[in-house]
Amino acid sequence: MGKGITQEQVNAAADALVTAGERPTVEKIRAQLGTGSPNTVLRMLETWRGALAERLHQVLSLPDVPAEVGQAFTECWRLAIAHANSAAQASLAQERNALLATQTSLMQERKVYENAVAAAQELAQGADQAREIAETRLVDVQRLVEQQAGQLTELLQQRDGLQQRADQLADSLEKHKSVAATEREAQVAHIRAIEDRAHAEIDRAREETKSLQAALRQKERDALTLAARLESVVVSTRAAENLASEYGARAKALEQQLGRMDGLSAALLAAQKSLHAATQRETALRGKLDDLTLAAKKPTTGKRKARVASAAS
């Protein structure tokens, strides 16, 4: 039953519709009242129609109405009641059909609603499961975020430490570069000084070699002159020539060695030692030649000649 609807309200609405010349129906009464379910209005409308017949019977039984008028009035009301019953039956059939259609529509809507409710329940159940899974994942994600935040903090600390270490290494590298540049400049200056000294020693060695070559040529000339003078002493002269030839070969070898000298101090020292040895041999040879010269100028005996030959050999 609709909220606030009563039989009196339905009776008054039906009477108003009859007074207005309209046939009372469920829809018109509901429209006039603004509320009420179709089943409730239909039941109350049937009650009103039953009460309407009783009221008509009371009107027909009035004692003050003449018999002919009463009969005519009765016939009119009978016809009206018959017509009203016929119209009521037709209206009732229509209303019943409408009610059945409404019930069918409501049942279909109920089924649709039930299906929608079942689907919504399934969706709600799935949503609950998804929510539980999401909450679990959210907890895991929060835990992972906290772990990553800790790792990030640790990595930031490591980065700061590495940055500080890199700055220290950069400063140390700059210092080492400065020291290395200074040492390199000192080494370059030292190497240049060594090269300058080596070039000076090479030039001096070349000058000494030229002097030695000139002295050797002079000594060769002296040896030839001495050989010419000592032609009488055949054995001594031959020995002197052999010695002079050997000395010349050694002198040429020394010149070749000096010519191949590449500027190293060690080669220069070796050349100086060789020249010193050659000078000593030259001094010894000069002594022998002087002895031979004295021996050639003085009268000699057989023993003297033998001693000269022995000295020459």
Side-chain angles (χ1 to χ4, degrees):
M1 182 183 293
K3 182 179 179 181
I5 186 172
T6 62
Q7 183 66 51
E8 288 75 10
Q9 291 176 344
V10 174
N11 294 337
D15 291 341
L17 290 171
V18 171
T19 303
E22 296 181 4
R23 183 172 59 86
T25 62
V26 174
E27 295 298 329
K28 290 179 180 180
I29 291 173
R30 291 184 63 205
Q32 189 171 356
L33 295 177
T35 183
S37 66
N39 293 330
T40 302
V41 173
L42 179 61
R43 187 177 67 254
M44 291 184 177
L45 186 59
E46 291 293 336
T47 303
W48 173 81
R49 284 174 181 154
L52 178 63
E54 181 65 24
R55 285 187 293 170
L56 288 175
H57 179 71
Q58 292 177 359
V59 170
L60 291 176
S61 61
L62 292 175
D64 297 332
V65 177
E68 293 81 5
V69 175
Q71 185 177 1
F73 185 76
T74 301
E75 184 65 20
C76 290
W77 277 107
R78 185 184 64 79
L79 293 174
I81 290 171
H83 180 72
N85 287 332
S86 177
Q89 291 296 329
S91 176
L92 181 61
Q94 292 179 358
E95 290 177 356
R96 285 178 179 175
N97 293 331
L99 181 60
L100 290 175
T102 303
Q103 289 178 348
T104 303
S105 177
L106 290 174
M107 291 178 65
Q108 293 177 353
E109 291 179 358
R110 181 176 180 179
K111 290 182 179 179
V112 173
Y113 175 75
E114 290 177 351
N115 293 331
V117 170
Q121 289 177 351
E122 292 179 357
L123 291 175
Q125 185 177 2
D128 291 337
Q129 294 177 356
R131 180 179 56 78
E132 293 177 357
I133 295 173
E135 289 177 353
T136 304
R137 291 182 178 177
L138 179 61
V139 173
D140 295 336
V141 169
Q142 288 177 351
R143 187 181 301 108
L144 181 60
V145 168
E146 291 176 357
Q147 293 178 357
Q148 290 181 351
Q151 293 178 359
L152 179 61
T153 302
E154 184 178 356
L155 290 174
L156 290 174
Q157 293 177 355
Q158 293 179 0
R159 184 202 62 183
D160 295 337
L162 291 175
Q163 184 65 38
Q164 185 177 3
R165 179 60 178 169
D167 295 338
Q168 294 176 357
L169 291 175
D171 295 338
S172 178
L173 181 61
E174 291 297 330
K175 293 180 181 178
H176 286 303
K177 285 182 178 179
S178 178
V179 173
T182 303
E183 292 179 354
R184 183 172 62 252
E185 292 177 357
Q187 289 179 356
V188 170
H190 180 65
I191 292 171
R192 288 178 180 176
I194 293 174
E195 290 178 351
D196 294 339
R197 288 197 297 271
H199 289 311
E201 291 178 357
I202 290 171
D203 294 338
R204 186 169 58 254
R206 287 178 180 174
E207 294 296 330
E208 291 179 356
T209 301
K210 291 180 181 179
S211 299
L212 289 173
Q213 289 176 351
L216 287 174
R217 287 193 292 270
Q218 183 62 37
K219 289 177 181 178
E220 288 177 356
R221 288 193 295 270
D222 294 340
L224 292 174
T225 302
L226 181 60
R229 274 192 257 169
L230 298 176
E231 291 180 0
S232 59
V233 187
V234 179
V235 178
S236 298
T237 302
R238 287 178 181 176
E241 289 177 354
N242 290 332
L243 290 173
S245 298
E246 182 180 359
Y247 183 79
R250 291 179 180 179
K252 290 181 180 180
L254 179 61
E255 290 178 358
Q256 293 176 357
Q257 291 178 357
L258 291 175
R260 292 192 301 269
M261 186 170 54
D262 57 355
L264 298 176
S265 300
L268 181 61
L269 293 175
Q272 290 178 354
K273 290 181 180 179
S274 298
L275 289 174
H276 182 68
T279 303
Q280 291 180 352
R281 292 192 186 95
E282 181 184 359
T283 303
L285 181 59
R286 186 185 294 276
K288 290 182 180 181
L289 289 175
D290 291 339
D291 292 340
L292 290 174
T293 302
L294 292 175
K297 289 181 179 180
K298 294 181 180 179
T300 59
T301 59
K303 293 181 180 181
R304 185 70 175 180
K305 289 179 181 180
R307 188 167 58 250
V308 173
S310 177
S313 62

